[in-house]
Structure formats: structure tokens, C-alpha cells
Amino acid sequence: MSILDDPCTTARPAGLPGSLTSAADALRPTALGQAAEADRQRGIDAALADRLAGSGFARHFVPRRWGGAEGTFAELVAATVSLAEGCTSTAWCAALQAAHGRLAAFLPEAGQQEIWGSSPDVPIAAALVPPTGRLERTADGGALVTGRWRCVSGVRNAAWVLLALPDPAALPGDFLIVAVPRGAVTVHDTWHSNGLRATGSHDVSVAEPLAVPAHRCLAFMDLVRASAAPGRARCHGVPPRLVAGLAFAAPAVGAARGALKAWAAPLADSHGPGGPAVSPARCEVLARASAEIDIAASLLADAALRADAGAAGDRAVGRNLRDTALAVELTVSAVERLFRAGGVAAQWQDSALQRAWRDVHTLAAHGALSWDAAAAEYTRTGLAAHAG
């Protein structure tokens, strides 16, 4: 058995026929083959984007009455990790399509009908944090919106965009989310990032007041209240903060697995049966990096299972925030270790190891994955249990 055959390093939950994980497994070779070019072009190939939209990610949390899957968070995490082994950016866009579909499921019925009436496979982009722009309420409950929003991942391949705006009439912590057709916003070519380059996370703007009807408007606190209402599908019936980090963290685990494969492949080729022993220094790198990745994957899988079943109160929220943030820190540590031991080949422009290194560092900077914020929330919600 070669280094690359270690089941603890390469194992993934097996996808059932027709499952989202199976679809991700099928997409992964294409995403991997196009990853370097997508990185250079700062966007996913149009044909791959079309395949992604129909793969099941966009419909994963769409209500069943529109043809959606109302799927599980465990399946989304497993599928995203699998796809990210090929291309982190593709997996990032895929996971966010699912996450944004989940948010759109809280729109009024007429808004959902407008988005999914013809198909559940509708890619949705979003700019939610921080709320920005200018909002003017209309007499019929709709809104006139203008402004500019940053870092809207996958917007060029989206059909709809969710925009968050501060609402001067709302209570603190509340804001308005509006759904607008992709053609109603101007996309600015601003995403010249160090990592996640192929996500195409460009700025968007609305220069002239855009009328958004009431059925495409959603107050964030209404979403929170609806999440706690009885009778909803489990994927729509959990607190937003319980699942906020899952879609952002899963690509990091896949990226780290891909980096480990890229690092270990030359080693396996030169240290096969009958070949020279692997040096102690490289044994150290392999053992520690693979362990960090396995721990990160386990933390994330457990967080997804908590989202799918069991209590969903403050303690579960605090633990999920802790575990998703720590999982990403572990993947950054693993990829950093591999990159430093990758030699000069890791510095080449098309090096998969270099690309993974850039991607996980960029990904880890996302506000939803802040370790300080997660640690504070975990302590607030769990300190009494530890002191008991």
C-alpha cells in the first residue's frame, strides 16, 4: 500500500447513487483539470458553471414543493469537501449556492415562486455581511435600493442576487435582505485576490433606485423567527448561526486533502516498494499534516450532524462556531506545513500546492470563521457546563 492509499487520509463518506456527494465526485476531475486555468482567468469556465448549477448544489436546500431536495448539512459538507479536492474555488461557489438557496427559502411564497417556479436549479449569489447600500421603503411594503456591495462570489454565473441593506426603521441587529435578478446589478471587475481567485467574488452596484416588490424582501429577524417556528423542514428550522460557518469551512478541508495528495504523490513515486526509506523529516510532515486534516474533517462532520439532528440551542451554536473555526485553523496549519516542505516546485505558478496554500489562507480570513469570535461565543454558552 502506498502513502496515498492511507484510508484515514483519503476516506470520504461514500455518495449514494444520485446523491449530492456522487455528483461532486463526478465533477471533481473536471474541476481539478481546469483549476489552474480558472485561477488565471479568475472565474470558473462557463460549461463547468452550467454543470455545477445542475449538479444538485443549488437545489440542495430548496423546498420540496419547488422540486428541491431539502437536504442535510452532512451531505452538503461531504459533497463540498469532495469537490474542493479538485478546485477550492469551484467548491466554494457550489457550497454558497446551496447556502443562498436556503436563505431564499424564507422569502414570501410569491418570491419563491418567482425564483424557482420553473426550476429548482437556480444559482443564487449574495452580499450579506456587512449590510450596505441605501434603502427607502415604499407604501406597498417593497423597497427602493441603491448602493454597492463587495465580494459577491460567483455573481457572473448567478441568476439572482441577495443583497443586505441597513434598515433605519428596524431594531438593532436587524436588516433587510432583497432578492434581485442578476441583470439588475452592475458587476465590477474587482476580484484580484491572492487566493480563491476563481470564485469571481466581484463587487456589484445599483446606481439608480431599483424597485424591489414586497414579495422579494425579507427582514433578517423575520428569518430568525421563522427558523424557530414549528413544522419547518430541519434544514430550514435551525438557528442561522448554528450553520453559518459550514459552507465556508468545508472547502478548506477539501483543499487541504488535495494539497496532501499533491505533496505526497512525488514522495510515493520515489519511495515505492523496494525504494529508499522516507526521511524522518518528511515522515513528520506527512503524519502531522494528515492528522490535522483528519481532525478538521471530523470536527466539521460532527458540526454538520448537530445541525441535522438533536438540540439546536445556544450551546450547540457555540460548539459549532468553535468547531468550524478550529477546523479551518487546522487545515491552514496542515497546508502551511506541506507548502514549506514542498521545495521549489511548490513555488511554480501552476503548483496545486501553492494554489491550495493561497486558497486556505484567503478562506480563513472570512469573518464567519473568526476564532476569537467563536471562542467568545463558546465560552459564553458553555462555561457553566465546564465549571459544573
Side-chain angles (χ1 to χ4, degrees), residues 57-63 65-66 96-117 119-120 122-126 128 159-163 177-180 214-220 223 226-227 232 235-236 240:
F57 280 95
R59 70 165 60 197
H60 188 64
F61 291 131
V62 173
R65 64 184 178 278
W66 306 118
L96 291 187
Q97 285 185 12
H100 299 155
R102 179 180 176 276
L103 294 177
F106 291 92
L107 287 167
E109 191 77 4
Q112 297 181 45
Q113 167 76 38
E114 192 171 353
I115 294 173
W116 295 310
S119 170
V122 178
I124 301 173
L128 300 175
W160 289 83
V161 185
L162 302 178
L163 303 173
I177 301 171
V178 300
V180 302
H215 66 262
R216 287 199 264 113
C217 295
L218 171 68
F220 176 71
L223 184 158
S227 297
R232 301 191 71 94
C235 64
H236 303 137

Side-chain angles (χ1 to χ4, degrees), residues 188-368:
H188 303 272
D189 189 356
T190 54
W191 187 245
H192 297 264
S193 65
N194 181 51
L196 294 177
R197 291 176 180 174
T199 61
S201 301
H202 302 295
D203 291 4
V204 303
S205 69
V206 176
E208 299 296 328
L210 175 65
V212 182
H215 66 262
R216 287 199 264 113
C217 295
L218 171 68
F220 176 71
M221 291 310 299
D222 285 345
L223 184 158
V224 173
R225 285 187 284 270
S227 297
R232 301 191 71 94
R234 174 71 186 200
C235 64
H236 303 137
V238 295
R241 297 181 71 216
L242 182 71
V243 298
L246 294 176
F248 301 115
V253 175
R257 284 180 172 168
L260 182 60
K261 288 183 177 181
W263 182 86
L267 195 65
D269 289 342
S270 57
H271 295 269
V278 179
S279 71
R282 291 191 175 275
C283 290
E284 167 77 5
V285 170
L286 179 65
R288 285 194 177 273
S290 61
E292 287 170 327
I293 295 167
D294 286 348
I295 294 167
S298 295
L299 287 171
L300 202 57
D302 286 349
L305 289 174
R306 277 192 292 274
D308 286 329
D314 285 351
R315 285 188 62 189
V317 169
R319 187 166 182 180
N320 268 22
L321 290 172
R322 180 200 69 176
D323 288 0
T324 52
L326 182 57
V328 171
E329 285 206 351
L330 288 167
T331 63
V332 171
S333 174
V335 176
E336 182 76 28
R337 190 183 314 279
L338 295 166
F339 182 66
R340 290 184 177 184
V344 68
Q347 308 299 324
W348 296 342
Q349 181 177 353
D350 288 348
S351 163
L353 188 52
Q354 186 217 85
R355 187 166 58 253
W357 181 84
R358 290 189 282 104
D359 286 345
V360 296
H361 279 278
T362 300
L363 185 156
H366 196 283

Side-chain angles (χ1 to χ4, degrees), residues 162-189:
L162 302 178
L163 303 173
L165 298 101
D167 186 350
L171 294 174
D174 201 2
F175 54 89
L176 189 71
I177 301 171
V178 300
V180 302
R182 155 68 182 81
V185 303
T186 299
V187 178
H188 303 272
D189 189 356

